[in-house]
Amino acid sequence: MLPFKLIYSDNYCLPIGAHVFPAEKYQRIHDRLLETGIATADDFLTPTPASDGDILLVHTAEYVHKLKTGTLSPREEMQLEVPFSPQLVRAFWLAAGGSILAAQCALRDKIAINIGGGFHHAFADHGEGFCMINDVAVAIRVMQRDKKIVRAMTVDCDVHQGNGTAAIFGGAQAFADVLPSKSAGTAHLKSSADVFTISLHQQNNYPAYKPPSSIDVDLPDGIGDDAYLAWLDNALSSGLRQFSPDLICYIAGADPYKEDQLGGLALTVEGLKKRDELVFRVGRAKNIPVMVTYAGGYARRVEDTIAIHCNTVIAALESSR
Ligand SMILES: [Zn+2]
């Protein structure tokens, strides 16, 4: 039995048909973890959907109304890049519920993994890039509302910048200003000193406009394992020197992988596991709970995406021994 919980539901599967986003990956990860004996049925918890009140802590009432009544404009639906349906809305409410449960479990067990979520391209008032609801932002705001945490840090290692998360939390400007890098932002919608956002991503990739995170590491094309791990180590050290979170939300995208169809970095499967280990090791060393979401992963062979995501569970296990 694992010393932490895995959050999963068969209903995580996004009803989007044949799509570059492999919606069936969640179930395949679940099945693989059981088949290989990494996890047993007792290690999994089934989430319930987030409430509308939870979602409204992050998203605007107008946007939530459009989603619930199916009245997105054609342009808004196009921006989402997945076909709208009421079933899709339910899947995103459930993913947010899963991230809330993962945050609660992480505060108790030091680690928890949502076998889903990580929809970091969702903004307060619109969705884009396959992301309708920003589940991680919702989980953070719910934990704060319920007085479980005061401060949170997002560590976004998806190959694409966490634009929705950065915009929602406004890049914790007070902290970014003291960074000796060029990442201090200028155009903040609002400053939020209780959430510190870190994003490591490929510079030359979606989104074209990258709202400032507290720390943005804009990586050049083709970066491999060693350089990536050095940048991550640096960003974590810098972030944790300036900010003491009660919870780390790790967005463990599988798409920095060298065989990814939507990414241009060159990490190996082993390098991605080392990345996960680094985040868990830092959380453990600083005694900060880590909750994980899975975000993107578009490897040419879906099996590779499954392996990378399963390795995150193994890395968590190894780091807690
Ligand atoms: Zn991505």
Side-chain angles (χ1 to χ4, degrees), residues 21 118 120-121 129-131 156-161 205-206 251 253-256 260 262-263 294-298:
F21 189 99
H120 59 159
H121 301 311
F130 321 149
C131 302
D156 190 336
C157 290
D158 191 275
V159 80
H160 305 101
Q161 196 238 8
N205 202 329
Y206 167 88
I251 294 135
D255 49 12
D260 197 88
L262 301 185
Y294 272 167
Y298 316 93

Side-chain angles (χ1 to χ4, degrees), residues 1-8 41-45 101-102 105-106 108-109 111-115:
M1 186 143 168
L2 293 170
F4 50 82
K5 290 297 175 194
L6 306 172
I7 316 303
Y8 171 76
D42 291 343
D43 294 317
F44 290 91
L45 292 180
L101 182 56
C105 290
R108 184 190 63 202
D109 301 333
I111 289 176
I113 300 178
N114 186 8
I115 309 291

Side-chain angles (χ1 to χ4, degrees), residues 151 174-176 178-179 196 215 237-244:
R151 288 138 63 92
F175 297 92
V178 304
L179 268 181
F196 192 98
I215 297 178
S237 311
S238 173
L240 290 169
R241 264 199 306 277
Q242 304 170 57
F243 189 86
S244 302

Side-chain angles (χ1 to χ4, degrees), residues 9-236:
S9 165
D10 287 340
N11 296 323
Y12 275 178
C13 184
L14 301 176
I16 55 178
H19 195 282
V20 67
F21 189 99
E24 75 282 13
K25 77 173 181 178
Y26 305 121
Q27 185 171 0
R28 290 187 57 182
I29 297 163
H30 167 263
D31 293 353
R32 178 75 57 85
L33 289 170
L34 289 175
E35 285 157 15
T36 52
I38 297 165
T40 64
D42 291 343
D43 294 317
F44 290 91
L45 292 180
T46 308
T48 53
S51 70
D52 292 354
D54 297 336
I55 300 289
L56 287 164
L57 293 171
V58 168
H59 294 282
T60 65
E62 191 188 356
Y63 178 49
V64 170
H65 179 76
K66 283 182 192 170
L67 294 175
K68 301 209 85 165
T69 52
T71 49
L72 291 176
S73 71
R75 192 186 64 83
E76 286 168 325
E77 200 179 325
M78 204 170 70
Q79 214 173 4
L80 208 51
E81 294 189 77
V82 282
F84 180 89
S85 67
Q87 293 76 18
L88 187 69
V89 174
R90 281 201 286 277
F92 276 103
W93 254 248
L94 183 61
S99 289
I100 293 168
L101 182 56
Q104 289 166 338
C105 290
L107 292 173
R108 184 190 63 202
D109 301 333
K110 294 296 173 194
I111 289 176
I113 300 178
N114 186 8
I115 309 291
F119 297 110
H120 59 159
H121 301 311
F123 288 68
D125 63 353
H126 74 277
E128 57 179 70
F130 321 149
C131 302
M132 180 184 281
I133 292 293
N134 197 312
D135 54 288
V136 171
V138 169
I140 290 171
R141 288 305 190 213
V142 167
M143 291 304 104
Q144 291 175 328
R145 179 198 64 196
D146 295 347
K147 308 268 187 280
K148 301 280 200 280
I149 64 167
V150 176
R151 288 138 63 92
M153 174 180 279
T154 62
V155 178
D156 190 336
C157 290
D158 191 275
V159 80
H160 305 101
Q161 196 238 8
N163 55 346
T165 313
I168 287 165
F169 294 121
Q173 192 170 24
F175 297 92
D177 284 347
V178 304
L179 268 181
S181 73
K182 43 114 191 85
S183 65
T186 46
H188 295 281
L189 296 174
K190 61 179 178 194
S191 186
S192 170
D194 56 10
V195 182
F196 192 98
T197 53
I198 297 177
S199 180
L200 261 82
H201 48 263
Q202 185 189 3
Q203 161 72 15
N204 179 31
N205 202 329
Y206 167 88
Y209 170 65
K210 298 173 175 61
S213 312
S214 306
I215 297 178
D216 280 301
V217 181
D218 300 321
L219 299 168
D221 298 357
I223 281 270
D225 294 343
D226 291 346
Y228 185 96
L229 292 169
W231 279 110
L232 175 59
D233 194 22
N234 225 345
L236 287 170

